Amino acid sequence: MRDTDGDISKVDTAYTKLKDLVIHYDLVPDGKVRVLPGEHLHIDDLADRVNASATPVRQALERLQGEGLIDSIAKRGFFSKVPNASELQDLYEFARLVLEHNITRPLDPSSVARLGRGLMKVEAVAVGHSATKCVKHHAMTIESVFEQITQLSRNGQMLRMMRNFNDRSRYVRCLSILQSPDHGAQVRECLELIELLRDQDPRGASAKLETHMCRMIVDLPELIRDARSRWTMAAAI
């Protein structure tokens, strides 16, 4: 009898590993496993990189393609996405509207009281720790803020769309944090948004959200230009 649960587990494991590679690009420290934008994703090669067999890797790639995290070209195969400023601006505008809706709608006090649970404290990068690794943690904390606010609607589809936005915008979010003189500034800004909601100040929270999202939208073209230089350097290593 076929071990269905085992097959699903293998696909999930391959999916998790591959997603980490295709959304972080040059932020993956190991150049041997790193995936750069526009790279042809050969199944056998990826199977070696993530220590998996070809079948779960193919199924994981199909799942990633369905989520818009990689591209598929007929008769050629799968390719990692090349981040596009215009596409990302549309995604940020969508996310801003979703979050604004959840901030300004009548909120359940018990749900608001739970906001902020499980979010990490913002600390300076300790000596000997990777700045890039800390930046990823900061980015994921911001994403957790977005997801917690989205959950106020109790709309599963909306939450899935927000999580997809977080995945598709992870790289530029990390890059924006990495380039900031204060790596924790954006996290603190989003945590302040949570506190404003907990203090029942939706107007203040809405203004804080607008500042954060509009700055990112404006910065996206420059972030992508800077990213191209990083990708060129990473490819030469």
Side-chain angles (χ1 to χ4, degrees):
M1 180 178 291
R2 183 182 173 190
D3 185 358
T4 305
D5 291 340
D7 290 342
I8 294 173
S9 177
K10 289 176 182 178
V11 174
D12 288 343
T13 299
Y15 166 83
T16 300
K17 291 180 178 179
L18 289 172
K19 184 168 81 167
D20 187 63
L21 296 180
V22 301
I23 68 176
H24 287 122
Y25 302 112
D26 57 289
L27 296 177
V28 175
D30 187 350
K32 293 181 181 179
V33 299
R34 162 185 300 164
V35 171
L36 293 178
E39 183 175 328
H40 193 173
L41 302 174
H42 298 283
I43 292 175
D44 290 340
D45 177 47
L46 290 177
D48 289 338
R49 294 197 211 187
V50 300
N51 193 29
S53 59
T55 298
V57 166
R58 175 181 290 279
Q59 291 176 312
L61 289 173
E62 290 171 349
R63 182 173 166 187
L64 290 166
Q65 190 272 330
E67 294 174 357
L69 298 178
I70 63 174
D71 292 322
S72 176
I73 301 177
K75 298 182 180 180
R76 293 191 61 195
F78 298 101
F79 293 80
S80 60
K81 289 186 75 70
V82 178
N84 176 278
S86 178
E87 179 184 6
L88 285 164
Q89 286 171 334
D90 288 343
L91 288 170
Y92 264 94
E93 288 286 4
F94 161 77
R96 184 183 66 82
L97 290 173
V98 169
L99 294 168
E100 179 73 16
H101 168 74
N102 282 281
I103 285 172
T104 56
R105 67 194 295 272
L107 299 176
D108 173 49
S110 62
S111 297
V112 172
R114 291 193 293 271
L115 286 173
R117 290 185 181 179
L119 297 180
M120 61 169 278
K121 295 181 180 179
V122 182
E123 300 175 350
V125 179
V127 176
H129 283 62
S130 165
T132 300
K133 185 175 181 180
C134 290
V135 162
K136 289 180 183 178
H137 284 306
H138 289 345
M140 292 175 73
T141 298
I142 293 172
E143 293 166 13
S144 293
V145 169
F146 293 165
E147 290 177 17
Q148 287 193 15
I149 292 173
T150 304
Q151 283 178 313
L152 293 173
S153 68
R154 299 181 181 178
N155 184 313
Q157 179 64 22
M158 191 177 289
L159 180 59
R160 284 190 291 274
M161 290 190 293
M162 182 57 64
R163 286 173 174 166
N164 183 255
F165 159 74
N166 282 338
D167 287 337
R168 295 171 70 177
S169 58
R170 172 80 58 77
Y171 178 76
V172 291
R173 184 174 299 109
C174 287
L175 194 58
S176 176
I177 296 170
L178 191 61
Q179 293 182 352
S180 173
D182 180 356
H183 290 168
Q186 293 186 41
V187 185
R188 287 193 293 273
E189 186 174 62
C190 289
L191 293 178
E192 288 168 8
L193 192 163
I194 289 286
E195 287 304 313
L196 288 166
L197 284 174
R198 288 169 60 90
D199 291 341
Q200 301 183 16
D201 183 3
R203 181 176 296 180
S206 181
K208 183 70 67 175
L209 172 69
E210 185 78 9
T211 297
H212 177 84
M213 300 300 269
C214 288
R215 184 179 60 247
M216 281 297 303
I217 290 169
V218 168
D219 288 348
L220 282 169
E222 185 61 32
L223 286 171
I224 294 300
R225 283 193 289 270
D226 291 344
R228 290 196 183 102
S229 297
R230 293 175 61 91
W231 301 331
T232 300
M233 292 177 62
I237 296 175

